[in-house]
Amino acid sequence: MSAAANVTRVGVVGLGTMGAGIAQVCVQAGLETVGREVSDELCERARERIAHYLARGVEKGRLSAAERDAALARLTTTTRLDELAGCDFVVEAVVEDLEIKRDLLRELEAVVGERAVLATNTSALSVTEIARAAERPERVVGMHFFNPAPVLPLVEVVRAELSSEDAVETAYELAERLGKEPIRCNDTPGFVVNRILIPLLNDCVRVLDEAGVTPEDLDKAMTRGVNWPIGPCALIDLIGVDVHVHASEALHGALGEARMAPPERLVRMRDEGLLGRKSGRGFFSY
Ligand SMILES: NC(=O)c1ccc[n+]([C@@H]2O[C@H](COP(=O)([O-])OP(=O)(O)OC[C@H]3O[C@@H](n4cnc5c(N)ncnc54)[C@H](O)[C@@H]3O)[C@@H](O)[C@H]2O)c1
């Protein structure tokens, strides 16, 4: 039997945008899930969010009311890290801060069992750097979900320098059990998708000014001429201008290619609060 088949209880630390989505995916896949947040209020907010999305799934006929109830019953939330003691697999999705993630890893190692695998959902930090804080870094891997986690199928399973084959395969198979479509990759800046997508979207934005083209026409060019399912401006609005600028800065800091630096125009949009869909206006109005 594979290691992932033995995973019965999952821990998710940090129930923000990503963590709540990951916890939802876990309970929907039939796994007992313990979510940890820093306050009772944030625990409650995450539970309400998950309940809301599951209820929407029922309305849309994607799951039955009984399946929703069963999924919610598998979710426990807590502010106490020691309640993750019985978890075979833990995904951390706390704020993107190296020291916070390293401290958390040390605390987690003190509460979980010998064989538990510890995964980080970091987008831009080095998994190897995070793992260095662990007493047993071989059990640490990256597990990079995409936003929104319940919707997007891809998970990048990241092999850090000292990750064991067993930990990587456990994460890969668990992702499949969650109904995802994982890939394996090394721990390099931006992993696979962001390494390609970030400079590419930045090029698209630079073309707006260089070619004197409107956002509407740029999106038309890439959807009608190259068959992209969504235009680059609409995609940046969906990702969030602030999130994209932050990711560009991180990638540029790590690899230094000029194309990776956020274009002036995006930095200005971020400063003016034109963040895309979430603020009602970015390249387009919503
Ligand atoms: N948002 C995205 O598009 C996206 C996509 C992929 C990966 N990520 C990565 O996922 C991680 C989380 O991002 P997010 O967008 O969900 O952030 P978020 O700010 O929405 O959520 C982070 C949550 O972690 C909680 N938290 C902080 N310290 C904690 C601790 N010690 N224990 C428990 N909870 C704690 C915070 O209260 C907050 O609710 C980051 O590493 C980020 O890089 C984000």
Side-chain angles (χ1 to χ4, degrees), residues 139-193:
R139 61 154 110 192
V140 182
V141 297
M143 206 170 175
H144 187 221
F145 289 80
F146 288 74
N147 185 20
V151 178
L152 290 178
L154 183 66
V155 176
E156 293 172 332
V157 174
V158 184
R159 235 183 262 120
E161 261 167 44
L162 296 175
S163 305
S164 70
E165 194 59 25
D166 198 45
V168 171
E169 289 317 301
T170 302
Y172 187 93
E173 288 169 29
L174 178 64
E176 286 186 321
R177 265 180 82 189
L178 299 179
K180 297 296 173 191
E181 295 178 41
I183 61 169
R184 301 174 188 84
C185 61
N186 286 342
D187 182 26
T188 50
F191 310 132
V192 175
V193 169

Side-chain angles (χ1 to χ4, degrees), residues 12-20 22 36-39 42 49 78-79 81 92-97 100-101 104 107 120-125 143-148 194 239 243 246:
V12 180
V13 186
L15 299 172
T17 307
M18 294 306 295
I22 295 166
R36 194 261 182 142
E37 255 298 344
V38 291
S39 71
L42 288 172
R49 265 225 343 260
T78 179
T79 56
L81 202 65
E92 75 75 13
V94 303
V95 283
E96 189 78 331
D97 179 298
I100 291 178
K101 287 188 189 291
L104 176 66
E107 287 176 62
T120 171
N121 185 47
T122 183
S123 295
L125 298 171
M143 206 170 175
H144 187 221
F145 289 80
F146 288 74
N147 185 20
N194 285 343
I239 293 168
V243 171
H246 187 261

Side-chain angles (χ1 to χ4, degrees), residues 18 23 25 98 119 183 261 268:
M18 294 306 295
V25 169
L98 181 63
I183 61 169
R268 245 187 356 254

Side-chain angles (χ1 to χ4, degrees), residues 55-286:
R56 268 218 334 229
V58 175
E59 280 163 26
K60 294 189 173 166
R62 282 196 224 106
L63 73 166
S64 70
E67 283 166 337
R68 173 202 57 198
D69 294 344
L72 268 178
R74 288 183 204 107
L75 178 69
T76 313
T77 56
T78 179
T79 56
R80 296 182 44 174
L81 202 65
D82 58 5
E83 289 193 21
L84 273 70
C87 294
D88 320 290
F89 197 105
V90 180
V91 184
E92 75 75 13
V94 303
V95 283
E96 189 78 331
D97 179 298
L98 181 63
E99 280 319 309
I100 291 178
K101 287 188 189 291
R102 288 168 62 102
D103 287 347
L104 176 66
L105 195 54
R106 282 189 209 102
E107 287 176 62
L108 269 172
E109 264 197 317
V111 300
V112 298
E114 272 283 289
R115 298 180 53 81
V117 173
L118 305 177
T120 171
N121 185 47
T122 183
S123 295
L125 298 171
S126 154
V127 179
T128 303
E129 284 290 302
I130 297 171
R132 263 196 247 285
E135 215 161 284
R136 294 189 40 214
E138 61 275 13
R139 61 154 110 192
V140 182
V141 297
M143 206 170 175
H144 187 221
F145 289 80
F146 288 74
N147 185 20
V151 178
L152 290 178
L154 183 66
V155 176
E156 293 172 332
V157 174
V158 184
R159 235 183 262 120
E161 261 167 44
L162 296 175
S163 305
S164 70
E165 194 59 25
D166 198 45
V168 171
E169 289 317 301
T170 302
Y172 187 93
E173 288 169 29
L174 178 64
E176 286 186 321
R177 265 180 82 189
L178 299 179
K180 297 296 173 191
E181 295 178 41
I183 61 169
R184 301 174 188 84
C185 61
N186 286 342
D187 182 26
T188 50
F191 310 132
V192 175
V193 169
N194 285 343
R195 167 68 182 81
I196 296 168
L197 186 64
I198 288 169
L200 179 59
L201 289 177
N202 287 342
D203 280 346
C204 292
V205 172
R206 290 188 177 102
V207 167
L208 282 175
D209 297 319
E210 287 166 15
V213 64
T214 62
E216 286 79 2
D217 279 358
L218 181 66
D219 279 15
K220 189 170 167 187
M222 298 311 288
T223 55
R224 312 321 289 162
V226 198
N227 240 352
W228 280 19
I230 180 171
C233 296
L235 181 56
I236 293 172
D237 276 356
L238 188 66
I239 293 168
V241 173
D242 53 339
V243 171
H244 178 75
V245 166
H246 187 261
S248 296
E249 285 164 346
L251 195 64
H252 184 243
L255 294 176
E257 274 181 38
R259 303 170 58 224
M260 292 166 178
E264 244 328 285
R265 182 176 178 131
L266 285 182
V267 174
R268 245 187 356 254
M269 285 171 71
R270 192 243 351 240
D271 293 345
E272 287 166 7
L274 301 175
L275 304 183
R277 279 180 182 270
K278 66 176 145 191
S279 72
R281 227 183 112 197
F283 287 105
F284 305 112
S285 293
Y286 300 91

